[in-house]
Amino acid sequence: MSEKKNLTKEQEREAIIELYKQRDSDIEVIPITKKDRELLKVQEETVNVALYSRVSTSSLEQATSIALQEVSFEDIQKIHPNWKLVKQYTDDGISGTSIDRRQAFKEMIKDAHTGMFDLIVTRSVSRFARNLRDCVDTYQKLAKLPHPVYIYFVSNNLITNGKGEQSEMILQFMAMIAQEESRMKSEIMMGSVEQRYNSGKFLLTKCLGYDRIRESKTVPPMLIVNEEEAPTIKYMYGLLLAGHTCKAIASILMEEKRKTKLGNTKWTAATVMAVLENEKYYGAVIGRKTYSYDFLEHKRRKNTGQLRRYKKEGHHEPIVSKDVWMFAQKIIETQRKKRGGQISRTLHVIQEGILRGFVVIDRAWFGSSIDDYIEANRIVYAEVRERPKQIKFGTVSNFDLTGYESVSTLMFSNNDRPTMLFDYNTVIFNKMSLKRMQETEEIELLFNPKTFEIAVRPANKTIKTAVKWGCVSNRGDFIPYKTTLGSFTAILFDYMQWNGEYKYKLYGKCREHDGEKLLFFSLRDIEVFIPSEEKSINGRTKYKKYYPQTFVNQYGEDAYQSIYNSRSYLLDYFKVWDACVGSVAIKEDEIEEQMRKASSELLKS
């Protein structure tokens, strides 16, 4: 008894199978009748035989079925010594209603096409297939092979010989009965599940953050919080409420090597969304979220009202509050409809320092137009008195620059300057940009619609507006990473009246103060790349470079205006910096305030 308790479930199955394979020498086997012997007679010479067996579940109760199906062939072989077993195929724990998931069955059919055997022996039609179409189609294909393969159904006392329609008709009738049995079993199972839900006994599967505990078969299973996994769940909800998309959350989890329930560190946007949508994390459980609409193929659909569902709140200890979970569902729904859009329409703007007036570019925010950015910028300048727009003689130079132009940098070689290249959907920086910012992985992008500038500053990857602009290549060097900016690129193209089929390269300057660095890109210094009809060797579109039409009559812009527009005068002449100052929300409703606080608490925990 002590040895039995130490056996694993798989070892118990093997022990049961071996037990039923044992033969008693005192047992006398009485042979079958002559009529049956004639039925089993296929040909006089050696017959190569394949044995197929199947059970629909891997339970211990069905372990004996496999053994009995194998033993039956030994009895047949005594009557037919010319039958030689060449290979045995077993589908253990696989339903017979479809051949799609029956790997051993498919392997057997593949071997049949090579002429490996002449006959397939199986216990019954229901063991071979419970799908009428699969059963008959397989029989017909085997019978039509250059080297025909027949099937012997032991319990049904039926052999298909490919001669005449009688055996095929009987086979169709038996297969139809087997299929109908499967349908009835499916209905019985559905009724059993219905009764289980009505009595509050839910089918609980393993999920990250919880352990599934069952003390005995008479006690329903329970979900107990896993203290090691729960922080990852809170972290995921915190990141979502902070503005990250499911794809971004997956990247963060992989970078931090956070483990899934399976113990690996592979995350996708789909797996993240599945976690965030799971009601178990606020203590509820819902039964029959999906249902099987085809008992033959076992195909399932999401239950959107076709069948009754069952819900119980307070079923187990929650990991996050119901309010947090509800916020998460609103965000996910909005992201689905707007391809990553946030439910909030709040923009954040810098109110002081060298970046004053810059609006933070939020990829997850879908503003309606450039007017939102202009309004955010205008509020700052309305609240803080602007410096005189015209920089006077003597302020920046002892020489009067009136009438002079600041020559555009496009007139010179720009190989050592930071650049950013826009198309209608993406943006990518050059290696010099990454080098100037000391190869920081995450940045924050800011836009000033008044001065026509885009600024770049380092950012922590946990903030919602962080943008990944570089990655480590297979060779180990840090290279640019093409990224998307949500709806901002469309807004920018509209504001600048750019053509969506063209590409636009912006040139930037690096400003540094007390070890902090910023990049400023001017929307006035641009190169335009227009697609040509000529194609490259690999079939890609070639682009021709063009310069702004204003270069026909001038070399740049007014010297004082150029100094003002560059914003570098704030640092050079007025000693204004504060590059890391935080942004301020233009408007924040009560719901977003709750989301912000909840996100902060979850990320701290």
Side-chain angles (χ1 to χ4, degrees):
M1 291 296 291
S2 60
E3 292 182 1
K4 184 176 180 182
K5 288 182 180 179
N6 294 329
L7 293 177
T8 64
K9 186 177 180 180
E10 185 60 31
Q11 289 173 333
E12 280 192 67
R13 284 175 50 79
E14 293 297 328
I16 293 172
I17 291 174
E18 288 300 320
L19 176 65
Y20 277 82
K21 280 185 176 181
Q22 295 175 8
R23 306 306 300 269
D24 190 337
S25 58
D26 295 331
I27 297 295
E28 178 184 0
V29 178
I30 302 173
I32 59 178
T33 63
K34 182 178 180 180
K35 180 179 179 181
D36 290 331
R37 289 175 62 89
E38 290 298 325
L39 179 66
L40 298 173
K41 187 176 180 182
V42 178
Q43 53 190 34
E44 295 299 330
E45 63 268 20
T46 300
V47 178
N48 292 323
V49 176
L51 178 63
Y52 178 73
S53 52
R54 179 191 65 79
V55 290
S56 54
T57 69
S58 55
S59 64
L60 292 175
E61 289 78 4
Q62 291 210 9
T64 57
S65 179
I66 291 289
L68 291 173
Q69 291 178 54
E70 294 172 1
V71 169
S72 65
F73 178 74
E74 297 177 11
D75 297 331
I76 297 169
Q77 201 170 28
K78 289 180 180 179
I79 302 170
H80 297 276
N82 62 319
W83 286 16
K84 178 184 177 183
L85 180 62
V86 295
K87 195 169 182 179
Q88 181 176 329
Y89 304 86
T90 303
D91 278 315
D92 194 355
I94 306 295
S95 171
T97 53
S98 175
I99 64 175
D100 292 339
R101 289 175 287 183
R102 295 161 67 188
Q103 299 304 320
F105 187 90
K106 290 192 286 187
E107 182 186 354
M108 178 179 67
I109 301 304
K110 183 179 179 180
D111 290 342
H113 282 72
T114 66
M116 182 182 290
F117 44 79
D118 312 299
L119 180 68
I120 296 173
V121 174
T122 187
R123 185 74 176 175
S124 65
V125 173
S126 63
R127 295 300 91 197
F128 190 76
R130 284 189 177 274
N131 185 316
L132 174 61
R133 184 185 65 249
D134 287 346
C135 185
V136 176
D137 285 353
T138 302
Y139 152 70
Q140 290 176 342
K141 289 177 182 178
L142 293 175
K144 293 177 181 178
L145 290 175
H147 180 85
V149 175
Y150 306 131
I151 311 169
Y152 174 44
F153 303 99
V154 180
S155 298
N156 304 113
N157 207 20
L158 173 68
I159 190 166
T160 63
N161 54 22
K163 300 175 183 178
E165 299 178 354
Q166 184 176 2
S167 61
E168 182 174 341
M169 183 181 68
I170 296 173
L171 177 61
Q172 287 181 358
F173 180 72
M174 291 184 174
M176 184 173 62
I177 293 175
Q179 179 173 303
E180 183 63 16
E181 286 178 352
S182 291
R183 186 190 65 78
M184 292 177 64
K185 285 182 179 180
S186 178
E187 291 183 357
I188 292 171
M189 285 297 297
M190 286 183 66
S192 173
V193 170
E194 189 95 13
Q195 181 60 35
R196 178 189 292 268
Y197 289 144
N198 272 316
S199 60
K201 298 179 178 66
F202 291 86
L203 301 173
L204 302 175
T205 56
K206 292 181 180 180
C207 60
L208 185 68
Y210 287 103
D211 292 326
R212 183 177 177 273
I213 305 297
R214 188 170 190 176
E215 296 179 354
S216 67
K217 290 185 178 181
T218 59
V219 178
M222 299 181 294
L223 291 178
I224 306 298
V225 174
N226 185 311
E227 299 299 337
E228 293 183 0
E229 298 174 352
T232 298
I233 300 298
K234 293 180 181 179
Y235 188 52
M236 293 169 71
Y237 278 96
L239 290 173
L240 182 73
L241 267 59
H244 290 278
T245 63
C246 291
K247 183 178 180 181
I249 294 172
S251 298
I252 292 172
L253 294 174
M254 285 193 289
E255 287 177 9
E256 297 187 1
K257 301 189 182 303
R258 299 253 181 172
K259 291 184 179 181
T260 66
K261 191 65 177 179
L262 298 176
N264 59 53
T265 57
K266 184 179 180 181
W267 291 89
T268 65
T271 55
V272 169
M273 184 174 290
V275 169
L276 296 172
E277 288 185 320
N278 196 332
E279 75 287 343
K280 292 185 180 70
Y281 295 115
Y282 80 90
V285 62
I286 297 176
R288 194 179 273 163
K289 289 192 283 188
T290 63
Y291 68 98
S292 176
Y293 66 93
D294 187 336
F295 75 94
L296 293 176
E297 301 292 337
H298 297 282
K299 292 181 179 179
R300 303 189 70 82
R301 285 178 179 160
K302 186 175 181 180
N303 184 7
T304 57
Q306 292 85 353
L307 296 174
R308 284 192 295 268
R309 286 174 291 180
Y310 300 84
K311 180 179 180 181
K312 183 177 181 179
E313 296 196 5
H315 178 270
H316 52 271
E317 182 183 353
I319 294 178
V320 298
S321 68
K322 185 175 181 179
D323 286 341
V324 166
W325 189 83
M326 293 298 293
F327 285 150
Q329 305 320 299
K330 291 178 182 179
I331 294 172
I332 291 171
E333 183 63 25
T334 305
Q335 289 181 352
R336 280 201 185 104
K337 291 179 179 179
K338 297 185 178 180
R339 299 181 183 179
Q342 272 285 49
I343 64 172
S344 169
R345 289 179 52 82
T346 301
L347 283 178
H348 291 71
V349 65
I350 308 295
Q351 289 189 321
E352 56 187 20
I354 195 170
L355 294 173
R356 183 164 64 89
F358 276 81
V359 184
V360 178
I361 298 173
D362 188 349
R363 294 184 298 172
W365 185 83
F366 276 68
S368 57
S369 70
I370 187 64
D371 293 338
D372 297 295
Y373 284 88
I374 293 174
E375 176 63 16
N377 175 273
R378 186 197 64 78
I379 290 174
V380 171
Y381 286 116
E383 292 175 352
V384 182
R385 188 175 178 182
E386 176 63 295
R387 300 182 186 278
K389 184 173 183 179
Q390 187 65 41
I391 299 176
K392 301 297 184 181
F393 162 61
T395 306
V396 297
S397 173
N398 292 325
F399 182 77
D400 188 359
L401 299 177
T402 303
Y404 285 84
E405 291 181 354
S406 176
V407 179
S408 172
T409 56
L410 299 180
M411 296 291 184
F412 306 96
S413 174
N414 292 296
N415 294 332
D416 61 343
R417 290 189 59 191
T419 66
M420 58 188 307
L421 181 66
F422 277 97
D423 62 28
Y424 195 73
N425 297 309
T426 62
V427 62
I428 188 169
F429 294 83
N430 66 350
K431 285 187 176 181
M432 186 56 65
S433 299
L434 277 63
K435 184 177 181 181
R436 292 291 175 86
M437 297 295 284
Q438 298 178 330
E439 299 186 348
T440 180
E441 292 187 9
E442 307 284 340
I443 60 169
E444 189 173 45
L445 290 169
L446 306 102
F447 171 55
N448 192 317
K450 185 174 183 178
T451 61
F452 292 87
E453 288 176 290
I454 292 177
V456 174
R457 66 178 180 180
N460 189 302
K461 65 182 178 182
T462 59
I463 68 171
K464 70 174 184 178
T465 52
V467 176
K468 183 177 181 180
W469 74 333
C471 60
V472 179
S473 69
N474 294 331
R475 294 176 298 182
D477 54 337
F478 199 62
I479 59 174
Y481 180 87
K482 183 179 286 188
T483 187
T484 59
L485 297 179
S487 66
F488 176 75
T489 49
I491 292 173
L492 181 65
F493 269 64
D494 181 60
Y495 185 50
M496 299 300 298
Q497 297 183 346
W498 287 350
N499 189 314
E501 296 181 358
Y502 299 172
K503 294 183 178 182
Y504 297 86
K505 181 182 285 186
L506 279 59
Y507 285 88
K509 294 180 180 179
C510 181
R511 306 297 300 177
E512 183 175 1
H513 183 68
D514 289 341
E516 295 177 346
K517 291 184 177 182
L518 296 174
L519 292 180
F520 289 95
F521 293 88
S522 174
L523 290 165
R524 291 182 172 86
D525 284 347
I526 61 171
E527 288 178 347
V528 185
F529 295 85
I530 300 177
S532 65
E533 295 181 359
E534 185 180 358
K535 300 289 184 180
S536 62
I537 297 176
N538 57 10
R540 294 182 178 178
T541 301
K542 280 191 173 183
Y543 288 82
K544 289 184 178 181
K545 183 166 64 176
Y546 292 83
Y547 293 97
Q549 190 175 2
T550 54
F551 283 10
V552 175
N553 301 316
Q554 62 187 59
Y555 292 103
E557 60 182 341
D558 177 81
Y560 287 119
Q561 186 67 40
S562 175
I563 293 171
Y564 175 82
N565 288 336
S566 70
R567 296 188 68 83
S568 61
Y569 76 92
L570 288 173
L571 175 62
D572 295 339
Y573 310 113
F574 299 108
K575 307 303 179 183
V576 176
W577 184 251
D578 293 331
C580 295
V581 67
S583 58
V584 177
I586 298 304
K587 51 184 177 181
E588 186 170 52
D589 58 27
E590 183 179 351
I591 292 179
E592 183 169 3
E593 172 66 15
Q594 293 175 11
M595 288 173 56
R596 184 182 61 78
K597 289 181 178 179
S599 172
S600 178
E601 291 174 1
L602 288 167
L603 292 176
K604 284 179 181 178
S605 64

